[in-house]
Amino acid sequence: MLSLNTWLDQPLTLSASGETAVPVQPATGLDLPLMPSGDGQIDLVDRLYPYNGDVARRRAALLRTLQYFPNDKTTVFSANARLAWLDWNADKNQAALDRLEPLLKGYEHDVTPDLYSWAETTRALALRDLKRTPEAEAILLRIARDTRLTADRRAETGIDAAWLLKTHAPSEAVSLLLEIIDLPSSWLPDPYSLLA
């Protein structure tokens, strides 16, 4: 209902000419139609502005999504987690942490465990890059061994944890990689190469 109400609150351009009205584009030139649901909006952003595309337009689209669906908790979490990922990829680790900290404190029971753990993984990677390795390692290991999560989420996070462990606890890194290899995930080549 919140998504529907947000969608209904947006203005609609009507024309008596019988021609299709051209939507007014914002100053950024961002072409982002309003979808009827927050999940649909996030999917549209991911399709139109992928991670490997124009980062500035992706960021603008995610910020617009937050404007479109300010009361949809899953959408707010998803958009902010994606924005934090963009910050981390741009080596803005503190900005990523600043965005993630309140998100992780307030939304744990409002989103799926996999989505929540993805945001936690981003937090751990930012901590790692800020040389707060013990904190990062603890988060990554907890996620990698959480049986409630999908095999892909656990494997991806476990590989990141193994990279941290290999320098000071190689036997624990090997043990973790052997656990990951047993998971039915799409990440299988990576743990084998790291194990070698």
Side-chain angles (χ1 to χ4, degrees):
M1 288 302 297
L2 290 173
S3 295
L4 177 62
N5 286 332
T6 302
W7 187 74
L8 291 173
D9 285 340
Q10 300 301 314
L12 176 66
T13 305
L14 299 177
S15 171
S17 69
E19 296 177 13
T20 304
V22 178
V24 177
Q25 294 300 316
T28 62
L30 188 69
D31 183 18
L32 188 66
L34 176 64
M35 300 301 286
S37 74
D39 288 341
Q41 195 72 42
I42 292 289
D43 289 342
L44 181 66
V45 169
D46 287 345
R47 194 165 18 95
L48 293 178
Y49 307 106
Y51 283 107
N52 59 351
D54 185 336
V55 173
R57 291 174 73 78
R58 179 170 176 77
R59 181 178 296 280
L62 290 167
L63 291 170
R64 177 78 51 80
T65 298
L66 290 171
Q67 292 173 353
Y68 285 165
F69 297 94
N71 299 318
D72 183 326
K73 289 184 175 186
T74 301
T75 304
V76 168
F77 189 94
S78 294
N80 275 301
R82 284 165 167 76
L83 286 164
W85 181 261
L86 291 177
D87 288 338
W88 174 74
N89 270 328
D91 290 326
K92 297 177 182 174
N93 296 303
Q94 191 57 54
L97 285 179
D98 292 344
R99 185 176 292 277
L100 287 169
E101 294 294 343
L103 199 63
L104 292 169
K105 287 179 183 166
Y107 288 82
E108 184 174 6
H109 302 293
D110 297 315
V111 297
T112 66
D114 260 37
L115 179 57
Y116 187 85
S117 66
W118 177 63
E120 279 190 302
T121 300
T122 304
R123 177 177 179 255
L125 295 173
L127 288 169
R128 176 200 67 191
D129 293 348
L130 289 170
K131 309 294 185 228
R132 293 167 59 183
T133 308
E135 293 172 77
E137 192 176 285
I139 294 167
L140 294 172
L141 282 171
R142 179 176 44 78
I143 293 169
R145 292 188 167 129
D146 188 342
T147 57
R148 298 173 305 142
L149 303 175
T150 63
D152 278 346
R153 168 65 41 228
R154 292 177 61 202
E156 180 182 11
T157 306
I159 292 165
D160 289 329
W163 276 104
L164 290 178
L165 288 170
K166 76 176 191 159
T167 57
H168 67 90
S171 61
E172 191 175 346
V174 167
S175 175
L176 179 61
L177 289 169
L178 292 174
E179 289 175 40
I180 292 169
I181 287 169
D182 286 341
L183 296 173
S185 80
S186 60
W187 288 88
L188 276 186
D190 295 330
Y192 280 115
S193 61
L194 183 54
L195 191 58

